[in-house]
Every structure is written in C-alpha cells, then in structure tokens.
Amino acid sequence: MASSNFVDYVKILCRSGKGGAGSLHFYRSKKTPKGGPDGGDGGRGGHIVLKGNAQLWTLLHLKYTKHVFAEDGENGGENRRTGANGKDVYIQVPVGTIVRDAESGEVEAEITRDGQEIVLMQGGRGGKGNDFFKSATNQAPKYAQPGEEGCEAWKILELKILADVGLVGFPNAGKSTLLSVVSAAKPEIANYPFTTLVPNLGMVSYRDGKSFVMADIPGIIEGASEGKGLGLRFLRHIERNAVLLFMASLEETEKSPGQQYAVLLEELRRYNPELLDKQRILAVTKSDLLDKKQLEKARKAVAREIPPDLPYVFISSVSGIGIDPLKDLLWQALNG
C-alpha cells in the first residue's frame, strides 16, 4: 500500500433528493369540460446508499468528492401520472467502513460484507396529487401535497481494516519484518522508527492450505492514546482484529519485554477498553541477538513479568526462530 494511495478517513456532504410535488389537475376535454380531479402523485427523491465493495481497500476514490447529491423526484402529472423517482446515488466503500454523523460523532452505519447495501439518507416522499384526496363528500379537491424535502448532513467515513491478526508494538519492534517473512507482503523495512506509515496486510499460509490475514499498523508509542506519534490515527484498524499479537523487542534497552507489553496494553485500554477483551499473544522479537545463556535468562524474566495466562513465544524473523510455533499459537487462538 503506497502511502499516497491509502486514505482511511473522508468527510463528505450528503444530500438526498427532494420528493416531487403532487399535481393539482382536473380532467378537461371537448366532451367533458368539467371533469374530475386526475392529478398524479410526485415521485420520491433519490436515496444516498452505502454499498460494500470487496475490490476496494481504501477511500481514495472519495478523497476529492466533497458533495454527494441525489436527484429530486419529478412532479406528478395529469391523467393520474406519477412522477419518476429521483435516481439513487451509490457510494462504493471497502468492507470495514463505518459512517459517523459529523456533528454528533455517532456511528450510523457499518459495512461488514461485500455487496451489503445500507440506505444512509432517505429521499423525500413524493406529494399526493389531488386525485388521491377525492371522496364522496369532496369530489373536486383543489389542493395537492408538495414534495417532502430531502436530508442534508456532513458524514464522516472511516475505514477499519478487517484482519484476523493485528500486530501491536513499538516502532522498530520488527512487525514489518515478521509480516514480510510469513506472507507475500512487501512493506518498507528499515532500522529507524516509523518506517511503516500506513497499515499493511498480508495473507499468512498455514498447514494443509489454510491461511489467515495479518495486519501491520504503524508503531505505537507511549502516549499514543492522547494523540502522540502515529498510533492514534491507526489504532482504529485493530478494533476489528480477532487476535492481537503484541511484539516486544529484546533490542530495547530501556524497557524489558514484559514492561513493553504493559505499556502497549495500557495505551489500548485508554484508547478503547473493549480492545482488552480480545485474545492476546506476545511475541518476543530479535531473539537471534542473544546467546543461549542470555536467552534463557530473558525467558525467565518474561515469565515473571507477564500474566500467567498470556501465551508467548520467542522469535527471530531473520533466522526463523520460533516462526512455526508462533503460527501454531495464532491458528489455535483464531480457531480455538
């Protein structure tokens, strides 16, 4: 995913169509100079419809679309002719998109599958013509309804990437390297913080032709839940992951793997406490940097510092240490 092409947030003004007015008309002909009412109903205004499209992975196509307006319904006509409905406008979005009201921030719609359609804003109803109002006691009504106004509001569209496993870690924890090793994804990798600027997805192959999707998001720093670093902007992408894979690096000197895990968990809690309900696994990365004695010491330290029910594994994406056991843990968590 090129950074210039990945857009996960847009704000657009939506307006559904106005309903057409009902017709106030009386039938007239040579033989019938004073015929009865025959005014038809107005057509409804066009809807604004959200539609899921699995072929899309970004909101880039909406980045420069500031206004989405549906057609108005046509007015009713003589001879009980109903006006045509306004044409609906379909907004194609990737699976995993939510829509919020720009003023209240309330979530109004959520697209979770391909082809799913949600009427985001309904068009105004067409007005009734005077033919609708005729009765035994009122055989010549001289009134008809105007069309109902459409709706207009600013909407915020946010994309939350759908993946089975989400990688959570500090910058330079080895998330992108792991993704490149276990999948065909080719994220940018370098030995400096914030190499990853946009989320990356990879399909991880497992045994017997099985597979699952892994998502790498930009590194989280302490204070990300308060807007520091890049983490706050992309934390929404792990809200849909079934399993969170925390990655703590042995290269980090200021904090032990257990302390790194605790800080990351606290940032998630501050951002959205519901994230703590997800299954969690800890991967201690860059294990190839330690010799056998140091590695054993690190294992004991990790076992002391983390909760006893947290599965963990020591890995090295460069040498391949622990990669298969990690896949086993992830598969068990996803299907257990």
Side-chain angles (χ1 to χ4, degrees):
M1 295 183 182
S3 59
S4 59
N5 290 337
F6 184 77
V7 176
D8 61 352
Y9 179 100
V10 294
K11 184 177 179 180
I12 56 178
L13 178 65
C14 297
R15 182 197 297 161
S16 59
K18 177 184 177 181
S23 172
L24 176 58
H25 189 270
F26 293 89
Y27 180 73
R28 297 288 185 269
S29 70
K30 253 183 185 181
K31 296 180 179 180
T32 314
K34 291 186 178 181
D38 70 343
D41 300 339
R44 71 157 174 83
H47 299 326
I48 303 291
V49 184
L50 210 62
K51 185 172 183 178
N53 187 339
Q55 302 301 313
L56 299 173
W57 53 270
T58 173
L59 297 172
L60 177 66
H61 61 294
L62 298 173
K63 184 176 181 180
Y64 301 107
T65 305
K66 291 300 180 188
H67 303 94
V68 177
F69 296 161
E71 284 185 353
D72 294 338
E74 291 186 3
N75 296 334
E78 60 187 55
N79 199 25
R80 301 178 181 84
R81 182 176 63 82
T82 301
N85 292 334
K87 188 176 180 182
D88 297 336
V89 173
Y90 286 82
I91 304 176
Q92 303 274 347
V93 295
V95 176
T97 300
I98 65 169
V99 181
R100 297 180 186 273
D101 181 79
E103 289 189 11
S104 67
E106 181 182 352
V107 176
E108 297 181 331
E110 183 177 5
I111 296 295
T112 57
R113 64 182 187 276
D114 184 39
Q116 180 183 1
E117 293 184 8
I118 296 176
V119 177
L120 188 61
M121 302 180 76
Q122 290 194 332
R125 290 175 296 181
K128 297 295 184 182
N130 64 342
D131 178 67
F132 176 82
F133 298 103
K134 70 182 180 183
S135 65
T137 56
N138 185 11
Q139 297 184 9
K142 296 180 179 178
Y143 49 84
Q145 283 182 334
E148 188 178 59
E149 292 291 334
C151 305
E152 179 176 306
W154 283 95
K155 303 294 181 185
I156 292 173
L157 276 62
E158 292 181 357
L159 172 61
K160 296 182 180 181
I161 284 179
L162 289 169
D164 299 307
V165 178
L167 303 183
V168 182
F170 290 114
N172 256 18
K175 301 185 299 299
S176 298
T177 305
L178 174 64
L179 186 66
S180 69
V181 168
V182 299
S183 74
K186 300 300 177 189
E188 184 180 350
I189 300 169
N191 191 29
Y192 56 82
F194 296 115
T195 310
T196 302
L197 298 177
V198 300
N200 291 294
L201 289 179
M203 185 69 73
V204 180
S205 297
Y206 192 58
R207 298 168 186 163
D208 304 322
K210 299 169 184 174
S211 63
F212 55 89
V213 179
M214 182 178 284
D216 168 29
I217 68 168
I220 299 171
I221 65 171
E222 198 164 358
S225 59
E226 299 167 1
K228 295 181 181 178
L230 299 175
L232 181 62
R233 181 182 168 192
F234 295 108
L235 279 173
R236 73 171 77 99
H237 292 300
I238 62 176
E239 291 184 354
R240 294 181 185 271
N241 303 152
V243 176
L244 300 181
L245 177 59
F246 288 77
M247 300 186 66
S249 172
L250 288 170
E251 194 176 36
E252 170 67 50
T253 56
E254 293 184 5
K255 293 183 179 68
S256 67
Q259 291 170 332
Q260 294 174 55
Y261 169 77
V263 172
L264 292 168
L265 195 64
E266 177 61 16
E267 290 303 323
L268 296 193
R269 186 194 65 77
R270 290 181 180 179
Y271 173 73
N272 182 357
E274 292 181 4
L275 290 176
L276 272 59
D277 296 333
K278 296 181 180 292
Q279 296 187 77
R280 304 190 292 270
I281 294 173
L282 174 63
V284 183
T285 66
K286 305 185 181 181
S287 299
D288 56 318
L289 299 179
L290 304 184
D291 59 32
K292 191 174 180 180
K293 189 175 181 181
Q294 291 173 321
L295 200 56
E296 186 59 32
K297 185 178 178 181
R299 288 181 189 278
K300 291 179 181 179
V302 168
R304 274 195 317 269
E305 294 175 339
I306 65 173
D309 59 342
L310 176 67
Y312 68 95
V313 60
F314 279 64
I315 68 168
S316 169
S317 301
V318 175
S319 66
I321 296 172
I323 297 300
D324 287 337
L326 174 61
K327 287 185 181 181
D328 290 337
L329 279 176
L330 293 172
W331 185 260
Q332 289 166 15
L334 289 169
N335 299 276

